[in-house]
Amino acid sequence: MSEPSIRVRELGKRYRIGAQVNNYRTLRDAIPGGLSRLVRSFAGRADRDARRASRWIWAIRDVGFDLEPGKTLGIIGRNGSGKSTLLKLLSRITRPTEGWAEVRGRVGSLLEVGTGFHVELTGRENIYLAGAILGMTRAEISRRFDEIVAFSEVGRFLDTQVKHYSSGMFVRLGFAVAAHLETEILIVDEVLAVGDAGFQRKCLGKLKDAAETGCTVLFVSHNMAFVRQLCTRALVLHEGRLVHAGNAGECIDAYLNLNRGGGARIIDHGRQLDPSVALAAIRVNQGESDEVHLAGPDGALEVEAEGTLGRPAKVAIEVRLADVEGVPLAIASPGHYESSPEVVGAGPFRIRVGVRLPRMTKGEYMLSLAITDAGRVKYWEFPAAVRLSTEGVPTVTGGVMEYRQGAGAFVLPSKGTPSE
C-alpha cells in the first residue's frame, strides 16, 4: 500500500484576538509607539488592553486524516468552520499551533483570488513566476505555456499587468496555472464561485482529469453538487472541529442536517471583500435569522441591508436561489437586468430589493446574497447563508408537489384545452 500523500494528526491553529504586533524598524516608528503606550498607561487602559490582547480563538483544533495519492477529498462546512485555515496549513502559508501535517509532493494551491500573483507583473510573467516557485525550470513551464493560456481564456490580456484584471480573469488564470503546472497535490478553495458556469464546468473537468492521472486533490466548496460530483470522500468541519468523515454522500447529508438548527443571523455567514463597505445588518422579510419560511404558494422576498460606506459607491443586492446541494435555480440581480444602481454617498446607507418568486414546489432551498456593484465589484458575499423552506402548491387532488420527489422547483402556469 502506498504512503498517503497527506497525513494530518491533531492539527490545530490558534489566533490571538485584539493583539497588535509592534515590529518597530526605525526610530521614527518606535517613538510614536512608545508615546502611545505611555499615554494609555496614564489613562489606566494598559491593564484592560493586556486582558483584551490575551484572548485566543482556535480556528481549527484536533483535526486528523489521511489522503491517499490520486484521491479527491471535499472539505465542507459553514463560513468560519476552519476550512480555509486548514488549507493554509497544508499549503505551508501558516504554521500550526499544535499537531502536525505531512505533505508528500509538489503542491499547487488556489486559495483566493490572486493568490501567488504579483500585481505589478503581467499575466505572462506571473505564469513563469508561479512555475519557478514550484521549482520548475523555464523549459518545463514553456512546454505547458500554451495550454495554460488557452484554458484561462485571457490571451488578449497576457501582457497586461494583472492588477488591471477583473476577479473572473484572476480566477481563470490562477486556476489554469495551478492545474497545468506539474503539481502532485492540488488545493482549491471556494474561488470557483467567482467564475461563470461554463468556466466552472471546465474546472471540474480538469480536476477530474488531474485525479485520474494520479494527482491528489483537496476541494473546498459550498456547492454540494460539485462536491458530490467530484469527490469520493469528504470532511465536515464545524466550529473548527472535524465532526464527520467518510464518503461524500454521507458527509453532505451530515452537513445539511448540521445546519437545520438555525438560530444564527444572516450577517454571521458573511464575508467582507471590500473594507470600505461596513454592514450593520442584513434581513430577509424583515428578519435577521438565517431561516425563512414561505407559507403560501406564491412567495415574495424582500432583502434589506444597512451599513456605512467609506466612500461614494454604487451598491445593490444580488439574490441567488439554489437547492440544498447548491444546484443554481434562479438569480435576481437588479444591477445586471435593470438600470444601474445610483451612487450612494459616503456615510450610512440602506438598500432594498424585492423578489417575486414563481409558484414553488414544497421543499428546502438555499439563498446566497451579495452586496455588489453588478458586473464590476463585489463588496460582501453570503454564500448559502439562508435556508428557505416552502409549503408548496396544493394540487386539485389534495396533494403537494415536492422538489425531492422530482417535481422540480417551480410550478409553471398552464392551461389545458379540450381536443376538438
Side-chain angles (χ1 to χ4, degrees), residues 196-218:
D196 57 41
F199 185 72
Q200 288 178 357
R201 286 192 294 270
K202 283 178 61 175
C203 291
L204 287 175
K206 187 63 182 177
L207 291 175
K208 287 181 179 179
D209 293 343
E212 290 173 358
T213 57
C215 182
T216 305
V217 179
L218 277 81

Side-chain angles (χ1 to χ4, degrees), residues 50 87 98-99 101 105 138 148 196 218 239 273 286 301:
L87 297 192
E98 62 182 20
R138 186 176 183 84
I148 293 171
D196 57 41
L218 277 81
E239 296 180 351
L273 305 177
Q286 301 181 343
L301 299 172

Side-chain angles (χ1 to χ4, degrees), residues 9-231:
R9 294 292 184 272
E10 300 177 348
L11 192 65
K13 179 63 179 179
R14 184 177 68 169
Y15 292 100
R16 177 180 288 179
I17 300 176
Q20 181 178 354
V21 180
N22 295 317
N23 295 321
Y24 300 119
R25 300 182 183 275
T26 66
L27 181 62
R28 183 184 62 185
D29 296 328
I31 291 175
L35 291 175
S36 177
R37 290 197 305 274
L38 183 63
V39 171
R40 285 201 303 270
S41 66
F42 278 120
R45 292 169 50 189
D47 290 341
R48 290 196 300 273
D49 287 351
R51 287 195 299 272
R52 186 180 299 116
S54 66
R55 293 201 299 263
W56 298 84
I57 185 172
W58 287 93
I60 64 167
R61 194 168 197 186
D62 197 27
V63 172
F65 64 92
D66 289 344
L67 184 59
E68 293 73 29
K71 300 296 183 180
T72 303
L73 179 71
I75 303 175
I76 55 181
R78 303 209 78 159
N79 288 337
S81 61
K83 305 184 300 298
S84 296
T85 299
L86 175 58
L87 297 192
K88 288 177 181 178
L89 289 168
L90 297 178
S91 301
R92 299 292 191 264
I93 292 174
T94 187
R95 294 182 177 180
T97 305
E98 62 182 20
W100 53 272
E102 184 179 76
V103 180
R104 297 173 177 266
R106 181 183 282 167
V107 178
S109 59
L110 187 58
L111 303 186
E112 58 187 35
V113 176
T115 297
F117 283 175
H118 193 298
V119 295
E120 298 296 333
L121 299 181
T122 65
R124 183 188 305 274
E125 292 165 339
N126 270 293
I127 292 174
Y128 281 94
L129 174 63
I133 291 173
L134 287 172
M136 298 175 63
T137 66
R138 186 176 183 84
E140 289 174 328
I141 301 168
S142 296
R143 283 199 300 269
R144 297 294 186 93
F145 187 84
D146 290 341
E147 294 178 58
I148 293 171
V149 175
F151 189 93
S152 68
E153 302 172 2
V154 298
R156 289 175 55 198
F157 311 98
L158 201 58
D159 293 309
T160 301
Q161 291 173 305
V162 298
K163 67 181 179 182
H164 300 300
Y165 283 16
S166 68
S167 58
M169 294 167 66
F170 254 123
V171 168
R172 291 199 298 272
L173 184 59
F175 184 90
V177 169
H180 286 82
L181 295 183
E182 296 176 1
T183 57
E184 295 157 303
I185 299 171
L186 188 58
I187 299 177
V188 182
D189 205 343
E190 185 63 26
V191 292
L192 293 188
V194 180
D196 57 41
F199 185 72
Q200 288 178 357
R201 286 192 294 270
K202 283 178 61 175
C203 291
L204 287 175
K206 187 63 182 177
L207 291 175
K208 287 181 179 179
D209 293 343
E212 290 173 358
T213 57
C215 182
T216 305
V217 179
L218 277 81
F219 181 64
V220 166
S221 180
H222 287 284
N223 189 317
M224 296 302 104
F226 284 176
V227 175
R228 192 185 295 274
Q229 183 180 353
L230 180 65
C231 305

Side-chain angles (χ1 to χ4, degrees), residues 77-81 83 222 239 262-272 279-283 287-291 369 380-386:
R78 303 209 78 159
N79 288 337
S81 61
K83 305 184 300 298
H222 287 284
E239 296 180 351
R265 300 180 305 159
I266 300 170
I267 199 167
D268 295 333
H269 306 304
R271 180 165 63 176
Q272 186 177 20
L279 278 189
I282 185 164
R283 307 178 186 90
E288 297 187 19
S289 171
D290 61 357
E291 290 197 347
L369 309 174
W380 279 78
E381 64 179 3
F382 301 81
V386 181

